[in-house]
Amino acid sequence: MLKIISLSLMLTLMTSTYADANTTLTQAQEFQSLNHIEAVEQAKKWYKNNQNIKVQITSKEISASFPDGSHSSVEIPYDTFFVSIAPWINTTHPCTNHVPTGCTGELINKDMHLVIKDAKSGKTIKNEKINTGNDGFIDLWLPRNKTLNVSIHYGSNTEIYLEAKETISTHTGERTCITSMKFKTKSEVRADPNGMDHKAHQ
């Protein structure tokens, strides 16, 4: 009788362990269960991680690869566009699709002021104080299929006042990583005959 009870308990434990193993989600499954905003926030938590997790953001999706070889992705809604901007003074790097697990800008944890306007209508999309965070980037969710004039101000009127300007596009296939916005003094910006440093891709 004792042997029968022991065998029954062993089978119960084995069944329970097997069930737990099968209900535990992998990192890829957990990532895929997130919405687009949560996926970006999770990717930022993996910044410079030592687990070999990599996340890349395109104009259509947020894709992740994991050390076990698995992959997963989260779609970005059709009316929304993600862009991350790293304004700079001395150093930058070429970038097309943002990698929040690795991309690093020059200006870390700096307070700035951001203004974004619709290039066609002139409507103000954003006018707010922002911070570049621990990776030197400014993450933004913007309306899709727009051409937008972006201005970023850094410093104060009583000190060196710097400004970076660029026209960006939020159409499918466009950059999600903007590393071309170089700060200039206010007088240099005013002297620029083109008004904006770069034009959006056509």
Side-chain angles (χ1 to χ4, degrees), residues 85-157:
I85 303 174
W88 59 283
I89 298 173
N90 298 308
T91 60
T92 187
H93 66 277
C95 189
T96 300
N97 292 321
H98 187 52
V99 179
T101 49
C103 280
T104 304
E106 175 191 4
L107 303 171
I108 307 295
N109 285 319
K110 301 298 183 183
D111 293 325
M112 301 178 184
H113 189 264
L114 171 76
V115 177
I116 301 179
K117 294 185 177 182
D118 187 302
K120 185 176 181 179
S121 68
K123 178 183 177 181
T124 298
I125 307 297
K126 287 184 178 292
N127 184 350
E128 59 193 40
K129 291 182 179 180
I130 46 87
N131 184 280
T132 55
N134 66 345
D135 60 356
F137 275 82
I138 304 161
D139 293 339
L140 301 167
W141 290 103
L142 301 171
R144 188 177 288 269
N145 297 326
K146 299 288 185 180
T147 299
L148 304 172
N149 291 332
V150 181
S151 297
I152 303 174
H153 304 93
Y154 177 44
S156 69
N157 285 317

Side-chain angles (χ1 to χ4, degrees), residues 154-162 186:
Y154 177 44
S156 69
N157 285 317
T158 57
E159 299 174 358
I160 298 175
Y161 189 70
L162 302 176
K186 199 170 183 181

Side-chain angles (χ1 to χ4, degrees), residues 81 83 142-148 168-172 174:
F81 192 93
V83 67
L142 301 171
R144 188 177 288 269
N145 297 326
K146 299 288 185 180
T147 299
L148 304 172
I168 67 171
S169 170
T170 62
H171 289 76
T172 299
E174 294 291 348

Side-chain angles (χ1 to χ4, degrees), residues 37-60:
I37 295 174
E38 293 169 338
V40 171
E41 290 304 311
Q42 179 58 62
K44 291 168 68 176
K45 292 177 182 178
W46 285 328
Y47 175 66
K48 297 292 186 180
N49 71 88
N50 57 7
Q51 303 173 57
N52 199 29
I53 299 173
K54 180 181 178 180
V55 179
Q56 184 178 68
I57 306 174
T58 69
S59 61
K60 291 183 177 181

Side-chain angles (χ1 to χ4, degrees), residues 1-10:
M1 177 66 71
L2 185 59
K3 288 184 177 180
I4 294 173
I5 293 174
S6 297
L7 180 60
S8 177
L9 286 171
M10 186 179 296

